[in-house]
Amino acid sequence: MNWVLVIVGAAVGAPLRYLMDREVQLRHDSVFPWGTFVVNASGSFVLGVLAGASVGSGTYALLGTGLCGALSTYSTFSYETLRLAERGWGFLAVANVLVSLLVGLGAVVLGAGLTGGLEG
């Protein structure tokens, strides 16, 4: 029945991604894809919290695979990075890749650390 939990989590995560992205994008006029950056960092943090808390398989299916899988978006990140490069914003494209990677990894480590997942 884990597949039902994944569907339920995704049913919440996908609209949440859309709403978060739109709210962030409306608050600036930069070409940098801040909305995708924020949803990916948020999803990474929640996944780190779950990993650190060592939740059961049902909770992980609901929140990790379903919610975080639908909340975060590698495909949109890749597409927006390509669009930045195609439009002559090469520096912003490289910055998007580097900052997204560093912040995403940092968010996972922070989330796992807050829930005791990094203790030996």
Side-chain angles (χ1 to χ4, degrees):
M1 291 303 285
N2 278 350
W3 63 273
V4 174
L5 295 172
V6 171
I7 291 171
V8 171
V12 174
L16 185 60
R17 176 178 74 194
Y18 176 78
L19 294 172
M20 284 177 67
D21 179 57
R22 293 297 93 204
E23 278 302 311
V24 171
Q25 288 302 114
L26 289 174
R27 297 183 187 278
H28 67 86
D29 21 335
S30 166
V31 296
F32 192 83
W34 287 108
T36 301
F37 175 80
V38 169
V39 297
N40 284 341
S42 302
S44 297
F45 176 75
V46 172
L47 200 55
V49 167
L50 294 171
S54 299
V55 297
S57 65
T59 303
Y60 192 81
L62 175 69
L63 299 176
T65 305
L67 180 75
C68 291
L71 176 63
S72 59
T73 172
Y74 186 76
S75 57
T76 301
F77 159 75
S78 300
Y79 174 69
E80 290 174 343
T81 301
L82 178 64
R83 284 187 54 193
L84 286 171
E86 288 176 342
R87 292 180 177 180
W89 298 95
F91 174 76
L92 289 178
V94 171
N96 189 34
V97 171
L98 295 176
V99 173
S100 292
L101 180 62
L102 292 174
V103 169
L105 290 172
V108 168
V109 170
L110 178 64
L114 289 175
T115 53
L118 298 179
E119 297 174 4

